[in-house]
Amino acid sequence: MLKDPPLLTVRRMWQRPDAFTIGRFKGVQTGQAVDAMDGRGALEAAIKAIDLANATFLGTALPCETGPNDNLAIVAAIALAQPGDVIMAASEGFTQSAVVGDNVTTIAKSRGVAAIVIDGMARDIAGIVPVGLPVFARGITPNSCVRSGPGRVGLPIVIGGVAVEAGDLVIGDADGVVVLPRKHLHTILPSVEEVLAAEAATQGKIRNGFTNIGGIEELLASDRVRYVD
């Protein structure tokens, strides 16, 4: 590298989904959102809510990228966030120190942030839980990080194996976190509605004794199954 990079590279201007569009996804579960996107869109399974009793959220992605053992970009993202934003922080999956703790979480809550999702670690769980802000991480460690940069805010990232751009829609619950690309929301929403209708119909049948999910009974009676007993 010929010269030191800036401490922060920030994209401040980007488009968020309108409130009406966001509201139409209210109550959608992560599994239902994934089903509407051909079975994909969820972050790696290791990234889970640190408090399962406070795991549900819906908001707009504000991505940031910070190096391992550093949280300058996360702090900057929170300072730039608007109410309803979800801080999506890529920290290279580093697990030897935490990049989010109770102080950062409390400030994020006061700014109206909907959730914090990191592909690294958190700490101060006894202080985070009472704040009431959903925080998703790979785990908990007492080790602390530095705040020195460099970092990026508002630019595309990859977190938990999923590409995220500013303005994408993010849904979280006890099962995990799902990213819905903003540019595809107009096609995802009808698919979500189809999934919800089909799921309601299937569950209604099951409550009435239906057991033939996926045509399993016909398959078991066909010549495509070989019994060896």
Side-chain angles (χ1 to χ4, degrees), residues 20-183:
F20 177 75
T21 298
I22 295 174
R24 296 184 70 181
F25 287 90
K26 186 175 181 181
V28 175
Q29 300 170 8
T30 53
Q32 295 165 339
V34 163
D35 287 348
M37 296 190 295
D38 299 323
R40 290 295 181 269
L43 272 56
E44 293 176 12
I47 300 174
K48 287 290 191 295
I50 66 172
D51 178 15
L52 291 178
N54 186 30
T56 302
F57 71 86
L58 168 67
T60 303
L62 172 50
C64 63
E65 185 173 22
T66 183
N69 194 44
D70 190 285
N71 72 351
L72 180 63
I74 297 174
V75 173
I78 292 171
L80 294 166
Q82 294 185 14
D85 284 348
V86 176
I87 305 301
M88 301 287 288
S91 60
E92 300 184 18
F94 189 68
T95 59
Q96 299 308 306
S97 62
V99 292
V100 168
D102 54 358
N103 291 335
V104 169
T105 302
T106 301
I107 294 171
K109 177 74 170 182
S110 70
R111 291 194 61 85
V113 167
I116 298 176
V117 180
I118 57 178
D119 70 350
M121 306 292 279
R123 69 177 228 166
D124 306 323
I125 189 170
I128 289 177
V129 170
V131 173
L133 181 71
V135 176
F136 286 67
R138 290 187 182 274
I140 305 294
T141 177
N143 289 342
S144 61
C145 67
V146 298
R147 190 172 298 154
S148 58
R152 306 193 311 158
V153 179
L155 298 167
I157 63 170
V158 175
I159 175 173
V162 176
V164 181
E165 295 188 20
D168 288 347
L169 202 61
V170 189
I171 294 175
D173 57 29
D175 284 352
V177 177
V178 175
V179 178
L180 296 79
R182 182 181 63 83
K183 60 186 176 182

